[in-house]
Amino acid sequence: MPATVEWFTRSTRGYCATRSPHGKETMTATTRLITLAEFLQLPETQPASEFIDGQISQKPMPQGKHSTLQIRLAETINDVGFPQKIAYAFPELRCTFGGRSIVPDIAVFKWERIPFDADGEVANTFELAPDWTIEILSPDQSQTRVTDNIVFCLKHQTRLGWLIDPDEKAVICFQPNQLPDVLRQPEDSLPVPDFLDLRLSVGQVFSWLKLGQRF
Amino acid sequence: MPATVEWFTRSTRGYCATRSPHGKETMTATTRLITLAEFLQLPETQPASEFIDGQISQKPMPQGKHSTLQIRLAETINDVGFPQKIAYAFPELRCTFGGRSIVPDIAVFKWERIPFDADGEVANTFELAPDWTIEILSPDQSQTRVTDNIVFCLKHQTRLGWLIDPDEKAVICFQPNQLPDVLRQPEDSLPVPDFLDLRLSVGQVFSWLKLGQRF
């Protein structure tokens, strides 16, 4: 689907987060027509906003459990993926593809799929789906919307999706052409991409919430 | 897995809903060992309780949107399934199989799979998975737990699962050996079992919340 296709907001629940001249973030309900191209011209918001089916929605403000899992998991992935340039985990990276512009909590890319500028620096614009998308549920966040984004990734080039539910101490794992797995026993082994030499169990991931030893 | 296998409650979040001698329902935290056989001996609670991985959890009290969708959808299915004895939709039917005892919001069975007593009446005990399981999300209900129950059904004999999210006006559809579909455009056509001559769109289902005309 071309990036410039016009989408209509289909619901009055669409919100447009904008920054006023005084720097204060305001949320205004919108039913106006907006294109992906127009969305990408808007200033970034904090937390990030996503463009999905013509609607703009802002991610929730990360809280303690979310932040803890996000940084710890990204570090863990980069500890095994970075030294040999196998893969890299980017927290809060905007990925624009298939008509959506989304910001997974962690987007993991195999090294050869990371776009670099001519000068060898990581590009600013990622117009591709991650190899592994990781979302961490926040209180009051719509799990249906998060699920929708993960399934959307999997229908593109993503091979693995995790939906981490800190309240339930469960991880729902999505892989192409199969039912999701709901893993919630501490000893359950979590699937990781085969390009990473990484073993993680459900219990290990949620033990990070206690901020114990790094390893 | 045999029905008498012993399960341990793995978390202090396990609750046991019991009826006191005064008829008042009490919720007491339990970490004691309980078997599926023991669970099935307990008096039924209202709302129903489910037995999942050694834990007992009580379903939320249905609210307006949940009840409206539940009865209307069951009626609609029975309007096409009952006259020719093709299938029947049971709201709040306990289904015990694979080591769990769950109570889908609607359990749809093909006629030939419905257990009958010798006298021709519907049996009380359903020790099998429905052909189609339908769950309607309640406010504050764990979507991960509901998803887990649907996936569990699909890993047994169930061929279709719906997770209806009234807040998001979306239906997540689960079918064996494939990723779930998140359907949320009013015109999106919802998958139904091929034994039923039924066509439903997302818009139709959520229009029932307005309690308009029956057809």
Side-chain angles (χ1 to χ4, degrees):
Chain A
M1 200 168 292
T4 51
V5 69
E6 282 197 341
W7 296 86
F8 290 82
T9 51
R10 290 190 180 81
S11 150
T12 53
R13 288 177 301 149
Y15 282 85
C16 180
T18 54
R19 203 168 287 279
S20 77
H22 311 290
K24 195 177 161 213
E25 203 166 85
T26 56
M27 297 284 284
T28 48
T30 174
T31 51
R32 76 182 176 83
L33 193 156
I34 187 165
T35 65
L36 175 54
E38 282 174 335
F39 170 76
L40 293 172
Q41 293 302 315
L42 295 173
E44 285 286 351
T45 57
Q46 177 62 26
S49 294
E50 298 184 309
F51 181 85
I52 299 158
D53 295 346
Q55 287 189 13
I56 301 172
S57 60
Q58 192 171 19
K59 297 182 70 178
M61 183 62 75
Q63 298 182 341
K65 291 182 202 303
H66 184 288
S67 292
T68 304
L69 290 175
Q70 185 179 32
I71 184 66
R72 191 65 177 271
L73 185 52
E75 281 177 354
T76 302
I77 294 166
N78 288 334
D79 280 341
V80 299
F82 181 70
Q84 293 175 286
K85 297 188 176 179
I86 295 167
Y88 201 75
F90 299 86
E92 303 293 324
L93 174 72
R94 177 169 301 286
C95 301
T96 303
F97 58 94
R100 292 192 187 191
S101 184
I102 62 173
V103 183
D105 290 325
I106 301 176
V108 182
F109 286 87
K110 282 175 79 168
W111 204 272
E112 61 263 30
R113 291 185 71 241
I114 299 172
F116 287 93
D117 290 337
D119 61 0
E121 291 189 354
V122 174
N124 271 330
T125 304
F126 277 61
E127 290 185 333
L128 73 173
D131 290 288
W132 178 12
T133 183
I134 299 169
E135 299 279 7
I136 303 157
L137 209 58
S138 291
D140 300 326
Q141 188 177 25
S142 162
Q143 189 164 340
T144 295
R145 288 189 188 206
V146 176
T147 300
D148 187 31
N149 270 352
I150 294 175
V151 170
F152 182 81
C153 286
L154 270 282
K155 287 186 175 173
H156 287 80
Q157 290 152 295
T158 303
R159 309 303 293 167
L160 178 64
W162 280 16
L163 198 171
I164 302 177
D165 183 342
D167 280 347
E168 288 290 323
K169 302 281 184 287
V171 183
I172 308 183
C173 298
F174 297 78
Q175 296 184 73
N177 308 315
Q178 63 185 67
L179 279 170
D181 274 313
V182 183
L183 302 175
R184 51 183 199 162
Q185 303 306 336
E187 65 275 16
D188 281 345
S189 178
L190 289 160
V192 296
D194 54 14
F195 54 78
L196 284 174
D197 182 19
L198 180 63
R199 274 182 209 153
L200 285 172
S201 69
V202 170
Q204 261 176 296
V205 167
F206 292 109
S207 75
W208 292 337
L209 290 173
K210 294 186 176 160
L211 289 181
Q213 292 195 323
R214 189 148 182 274
F215 293 104
Chain B
M1 202 167 290
T4 52
V5 69
E6 284 197 340
W7 296 87
F8 289 83
T9 52
R10 292 190 179 82
S11 149
T12 53
R13 288 178 300 150
Y15 281 84
C16 180
T18 54
R19 203 168 287 279
S20 78
H22 312 291
K24 195 177 161 212
E25 203 167 85
T26 55
M27 297 285 283
T28 48
T30 175
T31 51
R32 77 181 177 83
L33 191 158
I34 188 165
T35 65
L36 175 55
E38 281 173 335
F39 169 76
L40 293 172
Q41 294 302 315
L42 295 173
E44 285 286 350
T45 57
Q46 177 61 26
S49 293
E50 298 184 310
F51 180 84
I52 299 159
D53 295 346
Q55 287 190 13
I56 301 172
S57 59
Q58 193 171 19
K59 296 181 70 178
M61 184 63 74
Q63 298 183 339
K65 291 183 202 303
H66 184 287
S67 292
T68 303
L69 290 175
Q70 186 178 31
I71 185 65
R72 191 65 178 271
L73 185 52
E75 281 177 353
T76 302
I77 295 166
N78 288 334
D79 280 342
V80 299
F82 181 69
Q84 293 176 286
K85 297 188 174 178
I86 295 167
Y88 201 76
F90 298 86
E92 301 293 325
L93 174 72
R94 178 170 300 288
C95 302
T96 303
F97 58 92
R100 293 192 185 189
S101 184
I102 61 173
V103 183
D105 290 325
I106 302 176
V108 182
F109 286 87
K110 282 175 80 168
W111 204 271
E112 61 263 31
R113 291 185 71 238
I114 299 172
F116 286 94
D117 291 336
D119 62 0
E121 293 188 352
V122 173
N124 271 330
T125 303
F126 277 60
E127 290 186 331
L128 72 173
D131 291 287
W132 178 11
T133 183
I134 299 168
E135 300 279 7
I136 304 157
L137 209 58
S138 290
D140 301 326
Q141 187 177 24
S142 162
Q143 188 164 340
T144 294
R145 289 189 189 207
V146 176
T147 301
D148 188 30
N149 270 352
I150 294 175
V151 170
F152 181 80
C153 287
L154 270 281
K155 287 186 175 172
H156 287 80
Q157 291 152 294
T158 303
R159 308 303 293 167
L160 177 64
W162 280 16
L163 198 172
I164 302 177
D165 183 341
D167 280 347
E168 289 290 323
K169 303 280 183 288
V171 183
I172 308 182
C173 298
F174 297 78
Q175 296 185 73
N177 308 316
Q178 64 184 67
L179 280 170
D181 274 312
V182 183
L183 302 175
R184 52 183 199 161
Q185 303 306 336
E187 65 276 15
D188 281 346
S189 176
L190 289 160
V192 297
D194 53 14
F195 53 79
L196 284 174
D197 182 19
L198 181 62
R199 274 183 208 153
L200 285 171
S201 69
V202 170
Q204 261 176 295
V205 167
F206 292 109
S207 74
W208 293 337
L209 291 173
K210 293 186 176 159
L211 288 181
Q213 292 194 323
R214 189 148 183 274
F215 293 106

